[in-house]
Amino acid sequence: SCLWVFIGRQGSMNDVDNWLDRDMKGPFTYRDTYQGSEYVGQIYLGAFYFCFTTMSSVGYGDVVPSNSMERIFTIFLEFTGSLVFATIIAALTSVVTSMDTNQRKIAEQLDSVA
């Protein structure tokens, strides 16, 4: 989230079209991203919202990348989200597989006793 705000701040400082300009609660400028601004909470909440919806692959589309740097960051975020998702699925698969193996061993031991 902080990196998303930083990229928007850089775009605003360099007069490049950026997500801060297009935010539904804005438009904001780079000055609004610093501590003490009345909008800083809204900006960081919007940044967290964007990162969470992008990483969870929901991506509502109300906060969108507006320049090349923001698009590159979004691609990185989507890739990271897919890696996290794949890791979670692999871990769950491993747990379920080990449970099945344990059940099979118990059944074999019971069969050998009987």
Side-chain angles (χ1 to χ4, degrees):
S1 299
C2 293
L3 189 54
W4 183 242
V5 172
F6 176 76
I7 292 170
R9 181 186 301 158
Q10 295 303 310
S12 180
M13 290 173 74
N14 296 319
D15 290 327
V16 175
D17 193 26
N18 63 79
W19 75 272
L20 290 171
D21 292 339
R22 297 174 178 266
D23 191 86
M24 291 171 31
K25 300 276 188 186
F28 301 112
T29 67
Y30 70 92
R31 290 179 196 89
D32 296 323
T33 63
Y34 294 110
Q35 188 174 8
S37 167
E38 63 181 297
Y39 303 112
V40 73
Q42 291 178 3
I43 291 171
Y44 278 91
L45 183 63
F48 180 77
Y49 164 79
F50 170 79
C51 291
F52 185 78
T53 56
T54 301
M55 287 187 71
S56 64
S57 74
V58 174
Y60 295 116
D62 51 352
V63 180
V64 295
S66 300
N67 60 51
S68 295
M69 183 57 77
E70 291 176 356
R71 288 184 191 100
I72 290 169
F73 177 75
T74 303
I75 291 168
F76 171 76
L77 203 58
E78 290 170 343
F79 181 73
T80 303
S82 64
L83 286 178
V84 168
F85 180 72
T87 303
I88 291 170
I89 295 299
L92 289 174
T93 302
S94 176
V95 167
V96 169
T97 303
S98 69
M99 287 173 36
D100 186 47
T101 304
N102 290 338
Q103 292 291 345
R104 195 173 330 128
K105 284 181 183 178
I106 291 170
E108 287 174 6
Q109 288 174 350
L110 288 174
D111 287 342
S112 68
V113 171

